DNA sequence: TAATAAATAT
DNA sequence: CATATTTATT
């Protein structure tokens, strides 16, 4: 254990905390804000869109439950509704695990950002996120190949790709051209994820956290407002709804269990970062 | 400062 | 969709 370790270790502990312990905490951290349906998906041609989308794009509205007075002190004219830059997505090990799982189930051939994203069914996750991560993942795999064969473990690898190292990499990924085709798929490595612990709480927290996401990135350090609305449990779960996949030659195998997302303010700086984390088991 | 990670552009 | 480049964060 050297000082070097403490560097990434400090942030690491924030990524793999006991969800059960964080749950109660999340409840305290949650802060009610404006609600916007960013979950909407623009469908080019929607044959029968039964859109349960009550909240139209007319959002902007802030509940103004607390002091919505001067949000941007000095920032005259803030345009929250539009021009909303999505917070930096933090790929947590669990999320990456799900990513790898999705790729493993889809196969290298079908492992395209779009399909992966759809299979992951993680709300808030966009194709760009998956694409970017996928590219990094590929590079990681390529590097692993080069080192496998005589090259010993490089400390740099473990230190640089600790995130990827956290996720089990299917052997198939390391062998592109093998057995002619890579359309095999024995079974899903995804064991059994049936932990319904207090997902409700997580769900509620996530719901509120989503709201935070849309909110401006001001508020340096958001303490707890201590206004726990008791009307958030009726929203079912956070997992993405069974999105009917249209325009797909081969239908995806099946959606993975379910994952919720959590928004956490990393870095005391105040930069809001969206950290989706699957509340399954690792 | 440099390095890593994600976002964005090509 | 894949790759390259730029930007933000550590």
């Amino acid at each position: 254990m050297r000082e070097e370790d403490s560097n990434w270790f400090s942030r690491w502990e924030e990524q793999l905390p006991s969800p059960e312990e964080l749950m109660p905490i999340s409840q305290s951290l949650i802060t009610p804000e404006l609600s916007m349906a960013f979950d909407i998906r623009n469908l080019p041609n929607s044959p029968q869109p039964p859109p349960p989308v009550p909240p139209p794009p007319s959002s902007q509205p802030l509940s103004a439950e607390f002091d919505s007075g001067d949000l941007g002190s000095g920032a005259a004219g803030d345009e929250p509704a539009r021009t909303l830059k999505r917070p930096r997505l933090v790929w947590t090990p669990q999320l990456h695990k799900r990513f790898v799982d999705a790729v493993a189930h889809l196969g290298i051939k079908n492992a395209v950002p779009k399909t992966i994203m759809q299979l992951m069914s993680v709300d808030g996750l966009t194709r760009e996120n998956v694409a970017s991560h996928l590219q990094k993942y590929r590079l990681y795999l390529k590097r692993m190949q080069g080192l496998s064969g005589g090259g010993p473990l490089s400390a740099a690898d473990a230190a640089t790709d600790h995130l990827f190292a956290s996720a089990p990499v299917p052997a198939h990924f390391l062998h592109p051209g093998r057995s002619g085709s890579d359309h095999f798929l024995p079974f899903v490595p995804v064991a059994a994820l049936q932990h319904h612990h207090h997902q409700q709480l997580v769900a509620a927290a996530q719901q509120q956290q989503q709201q935070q996401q849309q909110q401006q990135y001001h508020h340096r350090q958001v303490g707890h407002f201590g206004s726990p609305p008791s009307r958030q449990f009726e929203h079912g779960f956070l997992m993405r709804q069974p999105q009917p996949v249209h325009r797909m030659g081969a239908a995806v195998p099946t959606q993975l269990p379910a994952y919720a997302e959590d928004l956490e303010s990393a870095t005391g700086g105040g930069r809001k970062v969206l950290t989706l984390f699957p509340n399954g088991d690792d």
Side-chain angles (χ1 to χ4, degrees):
Chain A
M1 322 295 183
R2 313 204 166 211
E3 303 94 33
E4 303 172 358
D5 295 30
S6 355
N7 279 334
W8 58 269
F9 185 83
S10 59
R11 62 171 288 186
W12 186 262
E13 67 177 6
E14 289 186 2
Q15 297 189 346
L16 44 105
S18 305
E20 299 152 10
E21 303 226 334
L22 282 182
M23 199 125 41
I25 298 177
S26 310
Q27 194 172 5
S28 302
L29 291 175
I30 55 179
T31 146
E33 272 292 10
L34 61 86
S35 60
M36 183 178 179
F38 74 99
D39 188 15
I40 56 176
R41 291 281 189 218
N42 49 353
L43 309 180
N45 54 353
S46 37
Q48 314 142 331
V53 275
S58 54
S59 36
Q60 167 58 172
L62 201 336
S63 289
E65 292 188 357
F66 51 89
D67 57 341
S68 59
D70 79 1
L71 241 135
S73 56
D78 50 336
E79 201 85 355
R82 300 171 212 272
T83 329
L84 262 177
K85 291 162 0 186
R86 255 169 232 263
R88 199 181 167 89
L89 179 74
V90 179
W91 281 86
T92 178
Q94 287 94 339
L95 189 61
H96 178 68
K97 175 70 196 301
R98 192 154 184 65
F99 169 84
V100 175
D101 260 356
V103 177
H105 296 158
L106 289 170
I108 307 296
K109 287 152 57 165
N110 294 339
V112 293
K114 188 180 180 180
T115 315
I116 296 172
M117 177 195 66
Q118 291 184 140
L119 202 163
M120 287 179 75
S121 299
V122 176
D123 189 9
L125 188 69
T126 181
R127 198 186 64 83
E128 315 322 297
N129 295 124
V130 178
S132 182
H133 191 72
L134 177 62
Q135 129 180 158
K136 281 189 308 184
Y137 184 66
R138 283 174 175 168
L139 261 58
Y140 170 76
L141 265 62
K142 197 174 267 187
R143 258 191 163 163
M144 275 294 245
Q145 292 183 15
L147 264 65
S148 71
L153 253 315
S154 288
D157 293 347
T160 14
D161 309 305
H162 40 263
L163 206 176
F164 296 111
S166 183
V169 179
H172 324 65
F173 287 32
L174 298 173
H175 300 157
R178 193 77 177 185
S179 298
S181 300
D182 48 346
H183 65 294
F184 58 80
L185 189 52
F187 50 84
V188 301
V190 62
L193 300 179
Q194 49 191 20
H195 288 358
H196 282 76
H197 294 311
H198 332 7
Q199 283 191 352
Q200 294 179 349
L201 289 178
V202 178
Q206 177 244 16
Q207 184 75 13
Q208 298 166 356
Q209 283 155 359
Q210 278 193 358
Q211 296 172 355
Q212 284 185 354
Q213 168 186 355
Q214 294 133 16
Q215 135 178 204
Q216 271 310 25
Y217 44 81
H218 287 101
H219 301 176
R220 274 280 139 126
Q221 218 168 347
V222 286
H224 53 71
F225 285 93
S227 28
S230 38
R231 52 173 177 98
Q232 326 240 354
F233 288 75
E234 311 190 33
H235 264 290
F237 302 91
L238 287 307
M239 68 157 122
R240 182 171 291 228
Q241 281 300 111
Q243 182 103 11
V245 181
H246 22 265
R247 227 47 189 165
M248 273 266 261
V252 294
T254 178
Q255 292 182 346
L256 284 106
Y259 269 60
E261 50 244 60
D262 178 16
L263 190 86
E264 185 174 320
S265 323
T267 76
R271 227 67 161 192
K272 244 87 174 195
V273 289
L274 178 66
T275 116
L276 313 140
F277 85 89
N279 45 358
D281 68 330
D282 186 22

